[in-house]
Amino acid sequence: MTETTRSEHDLLGDIDVPADAYYGAHTARALLNFPITGIPIATHTHLVNALACVKQAAAEANRQLGVLSDERTEAIAAACERIRGGALHEWFVVDTIAGGAGTSTNMNANEVIANAALEHLGRPRGDYATVHPLDHVNLGQSTNDVYPTAIKIALITQLRELQEALTGLRAEFAAKSEEFAGIVKMGRTQLQDAVPMTLGQEFGAFATTLGEDIVRLQEATRLLHELNIGGTAIGTALNSHPGYRAKVIERLREITGIYELIGATDLIEATADVGVFVQLSGVLKRIAVKLSKTCNDLRLLSSGPRAGLNEIHLPAVQAGSSIMPGKVNPVIPEVVNQIAYEVIGHDVTITMAAEGGQLQLNAFEPIIARSLVESISHLTRGAQVLGERCVAGITANTARLEQSVAESIGVVTALSPSIGYAAATSVAAQALEEGRGVVEIVRERGLLDEATLESLLSPEYLTGHPPHALQPHSPEARD
């Protein structure tokens, strides 16, 4: 031990830690063992705060049961409240990928809270006879019930932010749907002209699909409310007070404000099973896939501007090329595409980690937690950026849209019920052969009067609301 270090002791013997460090021996070992990503758990603010919530709830439950003194409880609670307020996060230094089923993360939390509690009591760091990381901060607990409980609380908090971001993005698409309600365009199937629609319908579909995903996310979130806290090592509740489980959940509800939290009915199953994380990951993948598809559509619709579809204009947010002057790229949809690819990869990782669990515990919860936290965080930011930096500023190229409708043979489908399938086929063939517009040929042949033609091509009719005056074609009458 020197002036800049202090000596601490663990199962393996003595080890020096920085004198000013809030962490201790177990964390120091983890720093040596897991120099994997260079990204500490401190970057996952929600998880650090959730760990502090669990430790505070545990201490206060133990005090109510008479197994932890008032002085120690108050010091531990004060330390946890500091952490929940944003302090001391820099001392949560364990790598986000580590062996041990989350033990290093739990130990890191125990040591930081113990030393912060000692500071509160005016005692030096490392004075564990006064407040011990394991005997007091971890009293009645195991990594195996603390860690998954903290993960679930962190995810619930994060998912609120993701739902808000998706709701905001949905609102942007819905606003564009109203703005573009009267603009007719060609719909496409298999990248070929299909039938007319409105640009508003296209953007309305984007809004609807987001709404569906928000509901699926809410369903998955509800599954996270079941906790195995109080089960300790494998779900048998060994080393915890008989009344601890009920009281710690009660305090967790009050501290977190998540009043739907409940205890699992089968603690052994709940400790071994990570199916809820697989379920949530699947929903996140669904959101990512659909968001990516939407971004693909935006990039395609805005392609060009001269040699592509060029039906909408995405806001220009930065220069697009170091060699091609004037080029602007769809960089916001592109970054969301990349987030989606990452989330899909995380889903594979979570699937394999869940499958790899053995017997009474899944040892791979750290990679599950990291993958879920990053997926949610990046999807949240991606949805915010897409809405604010892209969708809000989209404009329609009405001239191009009108031209595509006028030149497409797909519009003949809207006329077919009134002129008959045979006549519609003949018009389409002539239009293709001569490179002319369908409407021009219909007028030329006198197949429809101008008022009917105008009604059939109106946005109201093309959006599925035909005027009552329009009657379907009667083959007998025309023949």
Side-chain angles (χ1 to χ4, degrees):
M1 182 167 61
T2 69
E3 291 182 359
T4 59
T5 64
R6 68 175 188 268
S7 181
E8 292 203 8
H9 187 82
D10 66 359
L11 172 69
L12 302 183
D14 294 335
I15 186 171
D16 287 343
V17 300
D20 64 343
Y22 282 83
Y23 62 78
H26 295 95
T27 303
R29 301 275 187 210
L31 288 173
L32 294 173
N33 291 333
F34 310 120
I36 308 302
T37 68
I39 301 173
I41 57 173
T43 61
H44 299 332
T45 301
H46 294 91
L47 179 57
V48 172
N49 289 337
L51 285 163
C53 288
V54 174
K55 296 298 177 179
Q56 181 176 349
E60 292 175 350
N62 283 320
R63 172 169 60 180
Q64 291 178 34
L65 296 167
V67 295
L68 190 64
S69 70
D70 288 346
E71 182 182 43
R72 285 180 174 132
T73 300
E74 289 168 5
I76 291 170
C80 292
E81 287 171 0
R82 283 183 67 190
I83 292 166
R84 289 166 50 212
L88 305 176
H89 282 216
E90 69 272 21
W91 297 106
F92 287 77
V93 293
V94 169
D95 200 280
T96 52
I97 298 180
T103 297
S104 295
T105 296
N106 185 38
M107 291 293 201
N108 194 169
N110 288 331
E111 290 172 343
V112 172
I113 292 167
N115 281 300
L118 288 168
E119 186 174 55
H120 179 79
L121 295 172
R123 304 295 300 172
R125 289 168 205 173
D127 180 13
Y128 297 144
T130 303
V131 179
H132 196 281
L134 300 181
D135 292 339
H136 303 132
V137 180
N138 200 63
L139 179 61
Q141 305 154 60
S142 163
T143 294
N144 303 345
D145 63 345
V146 166
Y147 189 60
T149 295
I151 291 171
K152 289 179 178 180
I153 291 170
L155 293 176
I156 291 168
T157 306
Q158 263 198 295
L159 287 169
R160 290 173 179 167
E161 297 173 3
L162 176 55
Q163 289 183 37
E164 289 175 4
L166 293 175
T167 299
L169 178 58
R170 181 187 179 280
E172 295 289 359
F173 277 117
K176 288 298 169 182
S177 177
E178 293 184 13
E179 180 182 341
F180 301 150
I183 301 175
V184 180
K185 61 161 288 178
M186 289 306 302
R188 296 178 180 83
T189 58
Q190 295 161 274
L191 294 180
Q192 306 300 306
D193 294 356
V195 297
M197 64 185 300
T198 67
L199 190 60
Q201 285 179 307
E202 194 161 35
F203 276 75
F206 295 149
T208 297
T209 199
L210 278 166
E212 293 174 350
D213 286 342
I214 291 168
V215 174
R216 299 291 85 76
L217 197 61
Q218 291 168 341
E219 293 169 350
T221 302
R222 284 195 286 271
L223 298 176
L224 293 168
H225 291 114
E226 184 182 84
L227 309 177
N228 74 324
I229 192 70
T232 66
I234 65 169
T236 60
L238 182 67
N239 290 349
S240 70
H241 189 284
Y244 168 77
R245 183 185 177 206
K247 290 191 178 298
V248 74
I249 291 175
E250 179 183 352
R251 284 300 295 135
L252 268 176
R253 292 180 187 136
E254 295 167 352
I255 291 169
T256 63
I258 306 172
Y259 293 99
E260 302 84 358
L261 296 176
I262 59 172
T265 55
D266 186 332
L267 286 174
I268 291 178
E269 186 276 339
T271 303
D273 179 55
V274 293
V276 63
F277 299 138
V278 177
Q279 177 83 0
L280 174 59
S281 179
V283 173
L284 295 175
K285 181 179 73 171
R286 169 192 164 123
I287 293 169
V289 168
K290 293 170 69 177
L291 266 183
S292 189
K293 189 271 181 187
T294 297
C295 287
N296 290 341
D297 287 352
L298 295 178
R299 292 193 295 116
L300 192 57
L301 292 171
S302 66
S303 61
R306 298 292 176 85
L309 295 184
N310 192 25
E311 292 188 350
I312 61 174
H313 301 305
L314 305 185
V317 295
Q318 66 181 55
S321 175
S322 62
I323 189 173
M324 293 173 279
K327 193 172 190 292
V328 177
N329 294 326
V331 294
I332 302 300
E334 287 172 352
V335 76
V336 176
N337 285 133
Q338 292 173 79
I339 291 169
Y341 307 152
E342 178 191 45
V343 173
I344 294 165
H346 283 163
D347 182 62
V348 175
T349 298
I350 291 164
T351 300
M352 296 306 299
E355 186 276 336
Q358 297 166 322
L359 303 177
Q360 279 68 60
L361 182 68
N362 187 299
F364 310 119
E365 286 187 4
I367 195 64
I368 292 175
R370 173 190 163 104
S371 299
L372 286 172
V373 167
E374 290 190 352
S375 288
I376 297 169
S377 175
H378 296 173
L379 279 173
T380 300
R381 294 172 188 168
Q384 291 168 340
V385 168
L386 183 61
E388 296 167 5
R389 301 284 294 165
C390 181
V391 178
I394 291 175
T395 57
N397 186 350
T398 53
R400 174 61 180 158
L401 290 166
E402 290 171 1
Q403 179 188 9
S404 67
V405 173
E407 293 178 351
S408 174
I409 65 166
V411 75
V412 78
T413 304
L415 309 180
S416 179
S418 295
I419 66 175
Y421 190 87
T425 301
S426 175
V427 169
Q430 183 180 349
L432 279 173
E433 182 179 351
E434 298 177 2
R436 299 168 63 194
V438 165
V439 175
E440 178 187 357
I441 295 172
V442 169
R443 285 192 177 112
E444 184 179 275
R445 293 190 184 186
L447 295 173
L448 293 169
D449 60 68
E450 197 62 35
T452 302
L453 188 59
E454 183 178 339
S455 295
L456 289 172
L457 297 178
S458 69
E460 292 79 14
Y461 183 79
L462 296 174
T463 55
H465 301 90
H468 295 299
L470 293 177
Q471 299 296 325
H473 164 67
S474 169
E476 293 79 9
R478 184 166 293 278
D479 293 343

